[in-house]
Amino acid sequence: MIHDATRKPTREGVIAALESLGDIPLPPTPLLPTEIRGVLVHVKCENLQPIGAFKIRGAWWRLNNLEGDHAVAVSSGNHAQGVAFAAKQLGLKATIVMPRDAPRVKLDNTRALGAEVVLYRRPGEDRDAVAAKIIEEQGGTLVHAFGDPWVMEGQGTAGLEAAHQLGREPSRIITCCGGGGLAVGLSLACPSAAINVVEPEGWDMVGQALARGELVHASDNPPKTICDALQPTVTKQLNLDLLAGRAEPGVTVTDEEVRNAQRWAYANLRMVVEPGGAAALAAALAGKAPIDKDTVIMITGGNADPARFAETIAG
Amino acid sequence: MIHDATRKPTREGVIAALESLGDIPLPPTPLLPTEIRGVLVHVKCENLQPIGAFKIRGAWWRLNNLEGDHAVAVSSGNHAQGVAFAAKQLGLKATIVMPRDAPRVKLDNTRALGAEVVLYRRPGEDRDAVAAKIIEEQGGTLVHAFGDPWVMEGQGTAGLEAAHQLGREPSRIITCCGGGGLAVGLSLACPSAAINVVEPEGWDMVGQALARGELVHASDNPPKTICDALQPTVTKQLNLDLLAGRAEPGVTVTDEEVRNAQRWAYANLRMVVEPGGAAALAAALAGKAPIDKDTVIMITGGNADPARFAETIAG
């Protein structure tokens, strides 16, 4: 099936996606109150999803609207698990193209959910080409991790849930950002909320695109980051169009700020947060993102490599 | 004030306690569905409380019914934080007698909440005598960690919450057990649920008391346990009377079973659980406690020493 490039994600789509989550059933993730820099904020705990990340939302909604019975995805690990989980529930086949250096825990979990995993080398090999070849040979539909309109709508259900739990629309949502699928979904779900996207230093392809008004590609020699889930080489035009004039200027965080946030979440929230999942929290703790009265901070994933997590919290 | 030894905790008291928690406000902790040994169970996440443990419930209800303005408590750490938190909210003074070998994180958190901490040596010094001396010199009311009727009622609110969240009374509640205050509260909150108390090997003062029908004291040379929160030297007659004929035979778990449960919660629930808080989960995972259709497993605390937790998950 050819990807429908003309479909635009909508708030109505987000509402329909939330209804469809009731079929799994996938209960709302907790929205926990906590204090940051003297202000009560609300932390949306997507790391407590069954697959340990929000990606289950978009994957579920996309696969519910799939033509054919084979979903092909490209992912560093959390989208992989989301697609694998949804495919298993719906009795579909899933093939996931993942980087060789993805955290072992994400590779293992994806395989445990019954998906076929095809590895590629990062950087160097073109993961999209690998996926295209699979589709050419086997048939199937590409479920893009952030550029697919159903995926965007699905991710937005986290924002609707947070608004229901809060009893009103958040004034501000601070969110980790890879390619910008979640950010688009949240902006649709909560049209009056300020949206802050937070990316790792050197991997701010959405922040830079917002600043320049055009797509920006990662450099050939990008810096290392511990945020394995937040390394898109470029966002998509659809994401940029929907976030332009809607999101605040992008924010970047350092590895050390992210580790601080992981330690803070360990001690104060008693939760396991993976590096990429802690980026928004890192920005809030470091004072890089403003905090309003009804601010929601997205904690997006908890699939942290045990050895590295142990180093972080003991260090 | 003399401890009111004649007051009996009741289900009505548990219901009143739950209403009073609305004053803080203390939102319900998540009840997360997860699969154990092929059965869907429900995990009550008391480690996600603001103080990282269920103890806030009983302390809040007790201090709301305190005569005078000075709460004195004896605690290895979580009850300490509960009493300190409640005292701070209510503008009362709190003095907590804690063992010198309590986890640093619990000592620090208790002090950070504004309580005065008085240390004693464990084993050897009589902590109850230390508390009695404080009350004799300064006045105040002893808030017993598990033998106080208001504390029992307060802890029971976790059971009422779980029943509301589940939509029906749990068929079974598997709970970690120190002195048995939580177990009594849960049995009052959910009168038709089977109650399984889980204790560390060699520290099953409740399980042994249930088996013998009389109070049993810890030996002079008790075995070491990593469950720092589950080391009562003896339960109270009131707890035994209320649990006798009500709780199932006690279950004990080893340190290694507890560490396995901590690792399992890390990988599958993305949560930080302290050793004592993981005892019920350990029993369920090890097949030592039965699992019914509507089983609730209490995860009671998440205040884990970072260095030890790092060792556990990396090991």
Side-chain angles (χ1 to χ4, degrees):
Chain A
M1 178 197 172
I2 305 297
H3 178 65
D4 179 2
T6 60
R7 185 168 187 274
K8 289 277 189 298
T10 62
R11 187 161 198 277
E12 290 64 41
V14 180
I15 293 167
L18 187 61
E19 276 168 26
S20 91
L21 286 175
D23 297 339
I24 305 185
L26 200 71
T29 54
L31 184 74
L32 296 181
T34 191
E35 201 178 296
I36 292 185
R37 303 197 340 256
V39 184
L40 188 75
V41 298
H42 304 270
V43 176
K44 183 71 172 159
C45 303
E46 291 294 298
N47 57 326
L48 301 187
Q49 290 282 12
I51 62 153
F54 71 96
K55 295 283 191 176
I56 194 173
R57 299 176 180 272
W60 175 255
W61 183 229
R62 181 67 190 91
L63 267 62
N64 266 276
N65 289 282
L66 199 75
E67 290 183 25
D69 60 359
H70 184 202
V72 178
V74 170
S75 166
S76 67
N78 284 335
H79 179 56
Q81 291 173 74
V83 171
F85 180 96
K88 189 181 179 187
Q89 296 273 336
L90 293 165
L92 305 174
K93 184 181 167 192
T95 306
I96 322 281
V97 180
M98 298 180 71
R100 283 181 196 280
D101 66 343
R104 181 60 174 267
V105 60
K106 295 182 179 177
L107 290 167
D108 289 348
N109 289 352
T110 304
R111 290 191 181 108
L113 287 164
E116 186 177 336
V117 171
V118 177
L119 297 174
Y120 77 98
R121 202 174 302 276
R122 165 171 81 172
E125 258 187 292
D126 180 352
R127 60 187 195 170
D128 293 330
V130 176
K133 187 152 176 271
I134 292 167
I135 292 173
E136 191 188 312
E137 291 175 359
Q138 303 179 27
T141 303
L142 182 71
V143 178
H144 197 277
F146 57 82
D148 180 290
W150 285 277
V151 169
M152 295 176 197
E153 289 171 345
Q155 317 302 34
T157 59
L160 280 190
E161 264 182 31
H164 293 164
Q165 291 167 312
L166 198 59
R168 54 198 173 275
E169 193 160 303
S171 56
R172 179 177 301 276
I173 305 178
I174 308 176
T175 184
C176 317
C177 183
L182 175 60
V184 167
L186 295 172
S187 70
L188 293 171
C190 302
S192 69
I195 305 286
N196 290 90
V197 295
V198 183
E199 298 168 288
E201 273 192 358
W203 287 95
D204 52 334
M205 309 338 295
V206 170
Q208 287 191 48
L210 284 170
R212 296 199 209 167
E214 61 181 22
L215 296 181
V216 178
H217 289 259
S219 80
D220 290 338
N221 248 325
K224 280 197 187 302
T225 170
I226 57 170
C227 298
D228 60 89
L230 308 179
Q231 296 180 271
T233 52
V234 62
T235 184
K236 294 270 184 191
Q237 191 64 46
L238 179 58
N239 299 62
L240 176 56
D241 291 345
L242 289 165
L243 288 174
R246 180 69 189 82
E248 310 274 303
V251 173
T252 62
V253 287
T254 66
D255 279 0
E256 202 39 46
E257 286 166 343
V258 168
R259 283 199 193 92
N260 278 340
Q262 288 183 285
R263 280 188 284 266
W264 191 91
Y266 171 91
N268 292 278
L269 303 175
R270 287 88 184 174
M271 290 199 308
V272 178
V273 186
E274 65 179 275
L281 181 63
L285 289 168
K288 288 183 166 181
I291 297 178
D292 300 330
K293 193 179 163 297
D294 289 328
T295 292
V296 168
I297 297 174
M298 301 296 301
I299 290 190
T300 50
N303 294 310
D305 175 80
R308 289 185 196 170
F309 189 79
E311 271 174 41
T312 295
I313 60 163
Chain B
M1 179 196 169
I2 304 297
H3 178 67
D4 178 1
T6 60
R7 185 168 186 273
K8 288 277 189 299
T10 63
R11 187 162 197 276
E12 290 62 43
V14 180
I15 293 167
L18 186 61
E19 275 167 26
S20 91
L21 286 175
D23 297 339
I24 304 187
L26 200 72
T29 53
L31 184 74
L32 296 181
T34 191
E35 201 178 294
I36 291 184
R37 304 197 337 257
V39 183
L40 188 75
V41 299
H42 304 271
V43 175
K44 184 68 172 161
C45 304
E46 290 295 297
N47 57 327
L48 301 187
Q49 290 282 12
I51 62 153
F54 71 96
K55 295 284 192 177
I56 195 172
R57 299 175 180 273
W60 175 256
W61 182 230
R62 182 65 190 95
L63 267 61
N64 265 278
N65 289 281
L66 199 75
E67 288 182 26
D69 59 0
H70 184 202
V72 178
V74 170
S75 166
S76 67
N78 284 334
H79 179 56
Q81 291 173 73
V83 171
F85 180 97
K88 190 181 179 187
Q89 295 272 336
L90 293 166
L92 305 173
K93 185 181 168 191
T95 305
I96 322 280
V97 180
M98 297 180 72
R100 283 182 195 280
D101 66 343
R104 180 62 174 266
V105 61
K106 295 181 179 178
L107 289 167
D108 289 348
N109 288 352
T110 304
R111 291 192 181 106
L113 286 165
E116 185 176 337
V117 172
V118 178
L119 298 174
Y120 77 97
R121 202 172 302 275
R122 164 170 82 170
E125 254 186 295
D126 180 353
R127 61 186 195 170
D128 293 329
V130 176
K133 186 152 177 270
I134 291 167
I135 292 173
E136 190 187 312
E137 290 176 0
Q138 303 178 25
T141 303
L142 181 70
V143 177
H144 197 277
F146 57 81
D148 180 290
W150 285 277
V151 168
M152 296 178 196
E153 288 171 346
Q155 318 301 33
T157 59
L160 280 190
E161 265 183 29
H164 292 164
Q165 291 166 311
L166 198 59
R168 55 199 172 275
E169 193 160 303
S171 55
R172 179 178 301 278
I173 304 178
I174 308 175
T175 183
C176 317
C177 182
L182 175 60
V184 167
L186 295 171
S187 70
L188 293 171
C190 301
S192 69
I195 305 287
N196 290 90
V197 296
V198 183
E199 298 168 288
E201 274 193 356
W203 286 96
D204 53 334
M205 309 337 296
V206 171
Q208 287 192 47
L210 284 169
R212 295 199 208 167
E214 62 181 20
L215 295 182
V216 178
H217 289 257
S219 79
D220 290 338
N221 247 325
K224 279 196 187 304
T225 171
I226 58 170
C227 299
D228 60 88
L230 307 180
Q231 295 181 273
T233 51
V234 63
T235 184
K236 294 270 182 190
Q237 192 62 46
L238 181 57
N239 299 62
L240 175 56
D241 291 345
L242 290 165
L243 288 175
R246 179 69 187 81
E248 310 273 304
V251 171
T252 62
V253 286
T254 66
D255 280 0
E256 200 41 44
E257 287 165 342
V258 168
R259 283 199 192 91
N260 277 340
Q262 289 183 285
R263 280 188 284 266
W264 192 91
Y266 170 90
N268 292 278
L269 303 175
R270 288 86 182 176
M271 292 199 309
V272 178
V273 185
E274 64 179 276
L281 181 63
L285 289 169
K288 288 183 166 182
I291 298 178
D292 300 329
K293 192 178 164 297
D294 291 326
T295 292
V296 167
I297 296 174
M298 301 297 301
I299 290 190
T300 50
N303 294 311
D305 175 80
R308 288 185 196 170
F309 190 79
E311 271 175 42
T312 295
I313 59 164

